[in-house]
Structures are given as structure tokens and as C-alpha cells.
Amino acid sequence: MRLKSVVETVLRGAPPLYRFGSRMYHKFNPEFKTLSPGAPGAIQKAFEFAQTDQDAKQFKGDYHEFGVFRGGTFLAAYQTVEQLGLRDVSLFGYDSFEGLPPAEGVDAVDTRFFEGQFACSRSEVEANLAEHGVDLNRATFVEGFYEDTLSEDLRTRHAFQPASVVLLDCDYYSSTKVALDWLTPLLQPGTVVLFDDWYSYGDVDDLGQPKAFADWLLEHDRFKSEDFCEFEHNGRGFVLRRS
């Protein structure tokens, strides 16, 4: 187990100390890089897959990232589509830019995530990306908490193509489920869905992202999931298929 994970586990027994330690860690480790070292490779693998899979190659699709934080993973997605010459791919990032909302319902049973965690302003994110060569004309950011912003009106304001690759880095069950529900009309057989926090609660099915995906699949039985990959530290990906 990583030293950081050990320290976090110990501190979670004292939630105020854990929240203070988390804020200090991010304050004094402001590096512009993804917090999930395996996510860039998973994104590249997903886009490469989309060029050859019989289902995925039937449509031109976009990239959707839920939970942008400082923009490190979004940068990796941009670099991948540039490297692969996918000029028709638009990139969408969704974030409150105020950190996580309060934990409620099933999300409140554990103390590892808390209100305001992973806050980073939109202006800082855009500055980070521009400094690293991202053409911001190819990036669209939707600012606000998902319950407020993921609406039918949002669909009318953007020319969304089907989703080719989706990264859900939104930690909570509730946020993941809201994002999946809104995405449903954009999802196709062949879409790759990457869950950055699949194992955040360990190998548990009734919390967080595993529960959100299971509930979503029950409600949308035209889809089934096929294992795609696992990635460091807590990630797991699936391909959507026809049932």
C-alpha cells in the first residue's frame, strides 16, 4: 500500500484532522498532473480501441470528463486525440470548480470525501491547459454542480456527438449516477466508460461508482457492460454493448 494511502487511512479516524491534512497536501503539492497515474494510458487505449472496434468505429464520438480538478487528465485526453489525429473529437469537461458537494445519503457513510475537496478554479484550470499547449477552442467546460447543470437545456446549447470515451472522476455515487443519467442519450454500443474511483472504497459493490453503474445498467437494459481495463490507482473501464 502506498504511504499516502496508509496516512489517509489512519487520519480518516479523525475526520477534522483528515480534512485538514488533505487540504494541506494539495496546497503544498500543486503540481499540474493527474492524480490517477493510470488514467492517461487508459484514455489512450480507449481512443485506440474506438478506431478498430466494430461497434465504436460506426460513429464519430466526443470525450466527456466529469471531475476535472486541475486539468491534468483532461490534458492527457487532449494530447491523445492530437496524437491520433482525431480532429473531429470535441472535449467536454464538467466540474463545479468549487470542489465536491456535501456528502449525502449513501455517500455520507464514509469520510474519505468531503465538501470542498479537490477545488480548483476554472480560470486556473484553463491557464494550466493553455500553458501546456491546449487549444481551448477545442475544449468546452460546463461549470457547476451536476444536479444544476446537467439538463435538457444543456443538450440544446451544444452540438453533442455520441460519446466515444467517458471518464467519470466524480467520487460519489450520487454524482456518478447523475452524470450517467444525463449522458444516456449520448451513449452507444462501443462507448468506453472509465471510472476513475471504482476501487476508492475497496472491493465493495454497494457504494460509490460500482453501485452507480449497477443501478444505471438495471434502468437501461438495452445495454450490457464488457470489461475493458483496470488502471492505477483505483480505476476500472468498461465497454458498453447491446444486450
Side-chain angles (χ1 to χ4, degrees):
M1 184 180 290
R2 294 174 299 140
L3 177 60
K4 179 175 177 289
S5 296
V6 172
V7 173
E8 287 176 346
T9 300
V10 171
L11 291 180
R12 277 200 298 274
L17 186 59
Y18 171 69
R19 291 193 291 271
F20 175 78
S22 178
R23 292 189 179 102
M24 290 301 100
Y25 175 82
H26 291 298
K27 179 177 180 180
F28 292 105
N29 290 274
E31 291 182 84
F32 178 55
K33 64 179 182 180
T34 177
L35 295 181
S36 301
I43 292 168
Q44 180 161 349
K45 181 179 179 180
F47 274 111
E48 291 172 345
F49 167 87
Q51 309 311 301
T52 59
D53 178 73
Q54 285 299 114
D55 285 331
K57 70 181 184 181
Q58 300 303 314
F59 61 91
K60 295 179 180 178
D62 291 329
Y63 174 76
H64 297 263
E65 181 172 310
F66 292 83
V68 176
F69 190 33
R70 292 180 179 136
T73 305
F74 197 90
L75 170 64
Y78 175 85
Q79 291 173 332
T80 291
V81 298
E82 286 289 293
Q83 175 189 337
L84 296 175
L86 304 176
R87 299 297 302 172
D88 292 331
V89 173
S90 296
L91 296 95
F92 296 91
Y94 307 81
D95 203 295
S96 70
F97 300 101
E98 299 176 25
L100 296 178
E104 298 176 345
V106 68
D107 296 314
V109 304
D110 191 279
T111 59
R112 74 193 62 212
F113 300 119
F114 55 87
E115 183 178 5
Q117 192 176 14
F118 308 124
C120 186
S121 72
R122 178 173 175 173
S123 60
E124 184 178 347
V125 170
E126 291 180 338
N128 286 338
L129 294 171
E131 183 179 348
H132 287 78
V134 173
D135 177 3
L136 293 177
N137 291 320
R138 294 194 61 194
T140 299
F141 292 107
V142 178
E143 182 173 0
F145 292 108
Y146 301 157
E147 290 82 356
D148 301 324
T149 59
L150 299 182
S151 64
E152 290 302 316
D153 178 64
L154 178 62
R155 296 188 210 284
T156 68
R157 288 188 275 118
H158 298 285
F160 292 112
Q161 302 179 107
S164 181
V165 180
V166 175
L167 177 75
L168 292 151
D169 185 8
C170 38
D171 305 297
Y172 289 151
Y173 164 87
S174 57
S175 300
T176 303
K177 183 62 164 54
V178 169
L180 284 170
D181 287 342
W182 181 83
L183 276 169
T184 300
L186 303 177
L187 300 177
Q188 304 285 330
T191 297
V192 177
V193 184
L194 303 172
F195 295 91
D196 193 76
D197 301 290
W198 188 267
Y199 293 111
S200 287
Y201 299 97
D203 195 13
V204 174
D205 294 332
D206 58 352
L207 291 173
Q209 295 196 317
K211 176 174 171 55
F213 192 43
D215 287 354
W216 181 83
L217 284 170
L218 283 174
E219 295 167 7
H220 301 89
D221 58 5
R222 66 188 178 96
F223 289 114
K224 63 181 180 180
S225 67
E226 175 183 293
D227 283 336
F228 181 68
C229 70
E230 294 192 353
F231 56 97
E232 192 180 5
H233 293 295
N234 294 311
R236 188 173 181 184
F238 301 87
V239 182
L240 295 180
R241 297 296 191 192
R242 295 176 183 84
S243 292

